Amino acid sequence: MALDAPQTSSMSRTAMKAELLDAETELQLAYAWRDQRDEEALHRLINAYMRLAISMAAKFKRYGAPMNDLIQEAGLGLMKAADKFDPDRGVRFSTYAVWWIKASIQDYVMRNWSMVRTGSTSSQKSLFFNMRRVQARIEREAMAQGEELDGYQLREMIAHEVGVPLRDVEMMEGRLSGSDFSLNATQSAEDEGREWIETIEDEGARGDELVERDHDMDALRGWLADALEALNDRERFIVRERKLREDARTLESLGEELSLSKERVRQLEAAAFAKMRRHLERQGAEVQNLLA
């Protein structure tokens, strides 16, 4: 449910009053959430960086989306970042969170720009959020130099500037300038005219593709099962508890059960994965192609 304006204003004020975390405190909270699922640590981490999420949401107001919705999406991105953040990588949480917040907001804007998806590839997203700005700058520079660009030249320069194929620029220009219409509308004014929806190609996988995919998955499961059998009992137990359970066990809980330190469990896990990788590599190019 979207927040109303008073709630949004209240959230902004609360975010501005939240604590500022130093690097050491941030790291402690991140470890507490990752290893112990400490919800209080998670809430402190998210609340401390909600001001960052709100600040980034404000930059997307020009796309016409309600500010409260943008803040909600930014908050979702922040929570995803907190859930996936690995404190062992040595980067600040804010640096990592920026990517998730931006991606969440951008996906929301693009989903709601049109009933028809505007684009999903990285080049299409780059075009959507940069095309008008780049176009305006190119036109200003051309005008300052007394040059007059035709549509093709302008699209070609945009493609070069953004680093995408020309066809992507042409496609995005049509999508941004067009309006939504019903797929149930007929292609002609005649009563018996075909509806546009009948011309859309079925993007579902073909029967032969499904059979091939099922065969590949069965082979991969067999190879993985063999790789697991190559481990000793302790290694196999750690891998299953850490990666094959729906609710993965923490290093700390496994350490307590096995009477080992958390770091020793981490070392055993890494060694087990290395052993499995070597076992899979011996299967040759076929398994490498499936895992690529």
Side-chain angles (χ1 to χ4, degrees), residues 102-210:
K102 184 177 181 181
S104 183
I105 298 172
Q106 286 184 340
D107 285 345
Y108 168 78
V109 170
M110 295 186 72
R111 285 197 311 270
N112 290 275
W113 177 265
S114 170
M115 290 172 63
V116 181
R117 280 187 67 102
T118 306
S120 58
T121 66
S122 59
S123 66
Q124 289 169 339
K125 287 183 179 180
S126 178
L127 272 175
F128 181 85
F129 290 103
N130 295 292
M131 183 169 166
R132 294 309 186 205
R133 175 181 57 80
V134 172
Q135 179 178 334
R137 179 171 58 76
I138 291 175
E139 289 176 334
R140 284 197 307 271
E141 292 174 354
M143 186 178 298
Q145 296 173 12
E147 299 177 358
E148 186 173 341
L149 302 174
D150 60 29
Y152 180 81
Q153 290 175 314
L154 181 58
R155 290 190 291 274
E156 198 171 42
M157 293 176 73
I158 292 172
H160 176 75
E161 184 77 17
V162 181
V164 299
L166 176 61
R167 64 179 180 276
D168 282 3
V169 177
E170 294 171 338
M171 182 181 299
M172 186 60 66
E173 184 178 55
R175 290 177 175 178
L176 293 178
S177 62
S179 58
D180 295 328
F181 67 95
S182 172
L183 290 175
N184 294 117
T186 56
Q187 291 180 289
S188 68
E190 300 175 5
D191 291 339
E192 300 301 322
R194 267 199 318 177
E195 294 182 352
W196 283 102
I197 196 170
E198 297 176 33
T199 67
I200 298 177
E201 181 180 356
D202 184 3
E203 296 181 354
R206 301 194 310 270
D208 59 331
E209 293 175 340
L210 290 173

Side-chain angles (χ1 to χ4, degrees), residues 1 8 23 33 76 91 93 115 220 223 284:
M1 181 182 296
T8 302
W33 169 243
L76 289 174
V91 299
F93 174 69
M115 290 172 63
L220 185 56
W223 286 326

Side-chain angles (χ1 to χ4, degrees), residues 19-34 41-42 44-46 48-49 52 78 82 85-97:
E19 64 179 321
L20 296 173
L21 302 178
D22 57 41
E24 184 178 353
T25 304
E26 176 187 290
L27 199 60
Q28 291 173 350
L29 295 174
Y31 275 122
W33 169 243
R34 189 195 68 178
L42 174 64
R44 282 185 65 189
L45 194 61
I46 290 176
Y49 286 103
L52 171 65
L78 181 61
F85 181 60
D86 183 356
D88 290 329
R89 292 188 176 273
V91 299
R92 288 295 301 264
F93 174 69
S94 57
T95 303
Y96 180 78

Side-chain angles (χ1 to χ4, degrees), residues 220-235:
L220 185 56
R221 289 190 190 98
W223 286 326
L224 288 173
D226 290 342
L228 270 175
E229 289 301 317
L231 305 179
N232 61 43
D233 291 342
R234 186 167 62 176
E235 291 170 336

